Amino acid sequence: MNIVKVNTKSSCYNINISSGRLKHINESIPIDTTSIAIITNNTISSMYIDIIKSSLKSIHKPIIEICLPEGEEYKNLHTLNIIFDNLLKNNFDRKSLLIAFGGGVIGDITGFAASVYMRGIRFIQIPTTLLAQIDSSVGGKTAVNHILGKNMIGSFYQPISVEIDIDVLNTLPKREISAGLAEMIKYGLIIDKNFWEWCENHIKNLINLDQNHLIYAIKRSCELKSFVVSKDEKENNLRAILNFGHTFGHAIESVLGYGKWLHGEAVACGMIQAAELSSNILNLKRSDVERIRSMIKNINCPILAPKIDIEKWLHAMKVDKKNTNGEINFVLLPEIGSSIIKSVSNKDIINTILITSTI
Amino acid sequence: MNIVKVNTKSSCYNINISSGRLKHINESIPIDTTSIAIITNNTISSMYIDIIKSSLKSIHKPIIEICLPEGEEYKNLHTLNIIFDNLLKNNFDRKSLLIAFGGGVIGDITGFAASVYMRGIRFIQIPTTLLAQIDSSVGGKTAVNHILGKNMIGSFYQPISVEIDIDVLNTLPKREISAGLAEMIKYGLIIDKNFWEWCENHIKNLINLDQNHLIYAIKRSCELKSFVVSKDEKENNLRAILNFGHTFGHAIESVLGYGKWLHGEAVACGMIQAAELSSNILNLKRSDVERIRSMIKNINCPILAPKIDIEKWLHAMKVDKKNTNGEINFVLLPEIGSSIIKSVSNKDIINTILITSTI
């Protein structure tokens, strides 16, 4: 099995990566666990819950399953309360364990529920989308959305382990594989030129879900993310570079309505926009901007932003958590493999939007 | 000024105690604060907000006031969302500051809001009830209630300072002074026999709000609470002794409906019940049980529990966060000034309820 060790100020834990990991989930349950809630959705549950339940049989603990409605639009305080209702009705206590079994939405909301139920209980991440496996399940950011902004309510709270079974990717829609690959190449762009070039050379193998290539790329992505998180768990400085492409991306998601574009698709397009902005104000080479655009095209993600009023773009970007003092901050690339954070004038933002959007 | 230093694993900060502290609140605002929200209720606001606003004028920051509905029954996710709405509408960012200006309800909900807004922003406690000054504002427990249990949703999150102005106690209803004194004598009972005896000897001065006695007793209470919290911030063991009287007390509050009895009144009665239980199974001296009963009477708190069905008592006590494995745990006194945690049989619990309740 491939293991990535995550060390943050608040805790340390393993990311276990393998084919067939679901069957061995019982190995990761702490012995003093009093009860377990598997938090999931109908799609995942119908395909895989039996494998997990069968593995958990051996440890003889009470288990409940909580199926949440699917989609980013349900990642809110109301759905959170559904979890609390179920936990309290079933007398879940401080030694109970939550298992987040699903994509980023399930992981974010389950992590947040675990962080505040009785002021914090343990949880395990079993991410079932590529995006969740390489990004949202790693690093301990939990959140729900508010009608006025994405991920505005949440916490920094680490799982006791992350369990990645690459077999589940075989049933994932192609569109979601593409969205996950977008976040994967992001790591290369912001911090590891070698990994970016490896991705350029092996993108076909990744799209075709070749097992060895997948495991290498997922492991490297988790290593890069946990390196950044271990340096700066609470996003006081370095961690913010992980938001490359996200300022534009979040604005697209929030204006179109969550769920219309996948998060990874919005970030993919946002990375092209951030690359254009980098070219404009940091002199990122034009050839590199085109390499990025061509990679996004190869992974079948959108290369043009949707048509949105400039006022709406700016308003949506203004509520980004990276901002302070009303200035809009962006993660930008001086070159591929290196990134900085910089506040940008409205004029430069507007120019970039005009050249990167559908007319 | 009197200062108590609080050191926990996650942070350290001061509790500043004086007469007239409100006028100097500007001294405690961090220089990089971008905006301030004072979270309060109409009663407190109408009496004291001008003093705070006038002090804050000198630091030239945008200030908003958020008035919440009054009472424990509004300490829930819905009211929390009112806070988020206001913060987001006013573009509050990660360098914004919340000020909890009120009693325990305001402090608990503001602290929780601060801990999860954008995954955590800074906040200051200005407790305006005696109970909040000596108990809920100290130690970083934040929470809201769930319909199935009190304080079930929350976090451990420390303020950057606690500002106690004893002058505000002059306008506090007598009943609330009594409720605060109940938690004050609790500290003596569980951990400091000398302080218990000092309280016995000076209870009249405290009831009459004598300034010097008040400052001494508030400071000593804060010292005792922060000593316990510094040893065990997240209530893995020692901190649970602070719940002396609370297992019965919470049940009373939850069955009667929050707000009917004040929290301190329910705890006062619960302490008599826990003392009787201690006498029954730990041989706490009968004379000590009577000293406790007589003290509760002297501070004008209830000495008899309300008439409640046994089933309802047990059910309400079963959802207490101290419990694990379905057993009900109690904080009990082997003698005055010392405490232990012990699971108790239903039979012993029922016996105690029968001899301590209104027939």
Side-chain angles (χ1 to χ4, degrees):
Chain A
M1 189 165 58
N2 287 274
I3 298 178
V4 177
K5 292 206 173 285
V6 186
N7 280 292
T8 70
K9 209 180 144 193
S10 67
S11 74
C12 65
Y13 59 94
N14 288 350
I15 304 172
N16 302 313
I17 309 165
S18 73
S19 160
R21 181 69 196 153
L22 288 187
K23 292 191 201 85
H24 302 280
I25 210 68
N26 58 328
E27 298 164 9
S28 296
I29 310 297
I31 194 152
D32 63 345
T33 301
T34 51
S35 50
I36 299 171
I38 304 170
I39 298 174
T40 185
N41 61 41
N42 283 327
T43 308
I44 292 296
S45 176
S46 63
M47 289 190 285
Y48 298 110
I49 198 85
D50 290 342
I51 304 179
I52 291 192
K53 283 191 174 165
S54 147
S55 166
L56 292 179
K57 235 176 214 165
S58 63
I59 57 167
H60 306 290
K61 311 272 185 192
I63 297 175
I64 66 167
E65 186 186 337
I66 304 174
C67 269
L68 302 183
E70 282 178 60
E72 186 82 33
E73 66 269 36
Y74 295 104
K75 200 177 93 174
N76 55 31
L77 285 175
H78 179 74
T79 307
L80 191 73
N81 213 21
I82 295 177
I83 299 177
F84 299 145
D85 287 344
N86 278 280
L87 301 181
L88 285 165
K89 273 179 199 152
N90 288 282
N91 296 314
F92 270 53
D93 63 30
R94 285 178 172 165
K95 296 283 184 193
S96 297
L97 175 79
L98 305 190
I99 295 179
F101 187 39
V105 171
I106 293 287
D108 282 3
I109 198 167
T110 302
F112 188 44
S115 76
V116 300
Y117 183 72
M118 295 194 175
R119 301 199 181 91
I121 61 174
R122 293 171 294 195
F123 84 113
I124 287 176
Q125 290 270 19
I126 311 181
T128 59
T129 64
L130 181 57
L131 188 122
Q133 291 181 344
I134 62 159
D135 183 15
S136 55
S137 72
V138 183
K141 273 194 183 180
T142 81
V144 294
N145 300 326
H146 186 280
I147 200 163
L148 296 175
K150 192 175 165 176
N151 292 330
M152 284 296 158
I153 316 300
S155 58
F156 293 97
Y157 196 71
Q158 305 294 339
I160 59 170
S161 75
V162 180
E163 312 288 342
I164 297 179
D165 188 334
I166 60 157
D167 298 353
V168 301
L169 299 180
N170 293 321
T171 53
L172 193 68
K174 286 289 165 214
R175 196 177 155 197
E176 299 220 31
I177 297 288
S178 296
L181 292 174
E183 292 274 5
M184 184 181 278
I185 62 170
K186 182 196 74 181
Y187 294 118
L189 288 174
I190 58 174
I191 202 172
D192 185 347
K193 193 174 181 183
N194 287 340
F195 183 54
W196 160 260
E197 286 173 349
W198 183 92
C199 289
E200 274 187 322
N201 294 330
H202 299 90
I203 196 66
K204 284 237 164 95
N205 308 92
L206 292 172
I207 289 174
N208 295 329
L209 302 180
D210 174 77
Q211 194 158 312
N212 290 335
H213 284 85
L214 262 186
I215 287 187
Y216 171 77
I218 290 172
K219 187 177 180 202
R220 186 68 192 142
S221 298
C222 290
E223 280 168 357
L224 290 170
K225 175 140 188 193
S226 59
F227 167 79
V228 171
V229 170
S230 67
K231 296 274 174 201
D232 176 27
E233 184 177 8
K234 299 202 171 168
E235 197 165 319
N236 295 310
N237 37 65
L238 181 68
R239 186 170 181 160
I241 66 168
L242 297 172
N243 287 311
F244 178 63
H246 284 59
T247 312
F248 289 110
H250 279 167
I252 293 173
E253 286 182 279
S254 120
V255 175
L256 294 189
Y258 296 118
K260 188 133 186 202
W261 282 28
L262 296 177
H263 174 67
E265 291 171 336
V267 168
C269 177
M271 288 196 292
I272 293 176
Q273 298 182 284
E276 288 284 2
L277 192 53
S278 303
S279 159
N280 184 14
I281 64 182
L282 289 181
N283 292 317
L284 173 66
K285 281 193 279 181
R286 288 305 312 166
S287 58
D288 284 343
V289 178
E290 293 316 320
R291 274 168 90 183
I292 294 170
R293 195 187 317 269
S294 137
M295 174 74 111
I296 302 291
K297 202 173 169 183
N298 285 337
I299 61 172
N300 305 308
C301 278
I303 55 172
L304 270 180
K307 192 169 156 55
I308 293 172
D309 290 348
I310 290 291
E311 282 310 307
K312 282 191 183 167
W313 272 110
L314 295 177
H315 182 76
M317 292 194 285
K318 254 194 135 167
V319 294
D320 190 274
K321 292 191 292 304
K322 285 190 301 303
N323 300 333
T324 48
N325 272 323
E327 288 187 328
I328 304 181
N329 292 327
F330 283 84
V331 184
L332 299 175
L333 307 179
E335 58 187 325
I336 285 180
S338 142
S339 45
I340 61 163
I341 293 162
K342 201 169 160 28
S343 74
V344 176
S345 72
N346 277 7
K347 183 170 154 270
D348 287 326
I349 299 173
I350 294 169
N351 277 342
T352 299
I353 292 170
L354 292 177
I355 60 168
T356 55
S357 298
T358 310
I359 301 165
Chain B
M1 189 164 60
N2 288 274
I3 298 177
V4 177
K5 292 206 172 286
V6 185
N7 280 291
T8 71
K9 209 179 144 195
S10 67
S11 73
C12 66
Y13 57 94
N14 288 350
I15 304 171
N16 302 313
I17 309 165
S18 72
S19 160
R21 181 69 197 155
L22 288 187
K23 291 192 201 85
H24 302 281
I25 210 68
N26 58 327
E27 298 163 9
S28 296
I29 310 297
I31 195 153
D32 63 345
T33 301
T34 50
S35 50
I36 299 170
I38 304 170
I39 299 174
T40 186
N41 61 40
N42 283 326
T43 308
I44 292 297
S45 177
S46 65
M47 288 191 286
Y48 297 110
I49 199 84
D50 289 342
I51 303 178
I52 291 193
K53 284 191 172 165
S54 147
S55 165
L56 292 180
K57 234 177 215 166
S58 63
I59 57 166
H60 305 289
K61 311 271 186 193
I63 297 173
I64 65 168
E65 187 184 338
I66 305 174
C67 267
L68 301 182
E70 281 176 62
E72 186 82 33
E73 66 270 36
Y74 295 104
K75 200 177 90 174
N76 56 30
L77 285 176
H78 178 75
T79 307
L80 192 70
N81 214 19
I82 295 177
I83 299 176
F84 298 145
D85 287 344
N86 278 278
L87 301 181
L88 285 165
K89 273 180 201 154
N90 289 279
N91 297 312
F92 269 53
D93 63 30
R94 286 178 171 166
K95 296 284 183 191
S96 296
L97 175 79
L98 306 190
I99 295 178
F101 187 40
V105 170
I106 292 287
D108 283 3
I109 197 167
T110 303
F112 188 44
S115 76
V116 299
Y117 183 73
M118 295 194 173
R119 299 198 182 93
I121 61 174
R122 294 171 293 194
F123 84 112
I124 289 175
Q125 291 269 20
I126 311 181
T128 59
T129 65
L130 180 58
L131 187 122
Q133 291 180 345
I134 62 158
D135 183 15
S136 53
S137 73
V138 184
K141 275 195 184 179
T142 80
V144 294
N145 300 326
H146 186 280
I147 201 163
L148 296 175
K150 193 176 164 176
N151 292 330
M152 283 295 159
I153 316 300
S155 58
F156 293 97
Y157 197 71
Q158 305 293 340
I160 58 170
S161 74
V162 180
E163 312 288 342
I164 298 179
D165 187 335
I166 60 158
D167 297 353
V168 300
L169 300 179
N170 292 321
T171 52
L172 192 69
K174 287 288 165 216
R175 197 177 154 196
E176 299 221 31
I177 296 288
S178 296
L181 291 173
E183 292 274 5
M184 185 181 278
I185 62 168
K186 182 195 74 180
Y187 294 117
L189 288 173
I190 59 173
I191 202 172
D192 184 347
K193 191 172 182 185
N194 287 341
F195 182 54
W196 160 260
E197 286 174 347
W198 183 92
C199 288
E200 275 188 319
N201 294 330
H202 299 91
I203 197 65
K204 283 239 165 93
N205 306 92
L206 292 173
I207 289 174
N208 294 329
L209 302 181
D210 173 78
Q211 193 157 314
N212 291 333
H213 284 85
L214 263 186
I215 287 187
Y216 171 77
I218 290 172
K219 187 177 179 199
R220 185 69 191 141
S221 298
C222 289
E223 280 168 356
L224 290 168
K225 174 141 188 193
S226 58
F227 167 79
V228 171
V229 170
S230 68
K231 296 274 176 204
D232 175 27
E233 184 178 8
K234 299 203 171 167
E235 196 163 322
N236 295 310
N237 38 65
L238 180 68
R239 186 169 181 161
I241 66 169
L242 296 173
N243 288 311
F244 178 63
H246 284 60
T247 312
F248 289 110
H250 280 168
I252 294 173
E253 285 183 280
S254 120
V255 175
L256 294 189
Y258 297 118
K260 188 133 184 201
W261 282 29
L262 296 177
H263 174 68
E265 290 171 337
V267 167
C269 176
M271 289 196 291
I272 293 175
Q273 296 182 283
E276 289 285 1
L277 191 53
S278 303
S279 159
N280 185 14
I281 64 183
L282 289 181
N283 292 318
L284 173 68
K285 282 192 280 181
R286 288 305 312 166
S287 59
D288 284 341
V289 177
E290 293 315 320
R291 272 169 89 184
I292 294 170
R293 196 188 316 271
S294 136
M295 173 72 111
I296 302 290
K297 201 171 169 186
N298 284 337
I299 62 170
N300 303 310
C301 278
I303 56 171
L304 271 179
K307 191 170 159 55
I308 294 172
D309 288 350
I310 290 291
E311 282 311 307
K312 284 192 182 166
W313 271 110
L314 294 177
H315 181 77
M317 291 193 287
K318 254 194 136 168
V319 294
D320 190 274
K321 291 190 295 302
K322 285 189 302 301
N323 299 335
T324 47
N325 273 321
E327 286 188 329
I328 303 180
N329 292 328
F330 284 83
V331 184
L332 298 175
L333 307 179
E335 58 188 324
I336 284 178
S338 143
S339 45
I340 62 163
I341 294 162
K342 203 171 160 26
S343 73
V344 176
S345 72
N346 277 6
K347 182 171 156 270
D348 286 327
I349 298 173
I350 294 168
N351 277 343
T352 299
I353 291 170
L354 293 175
I355 60 167
T356 55
S357 299
T358 311
I359 302 166

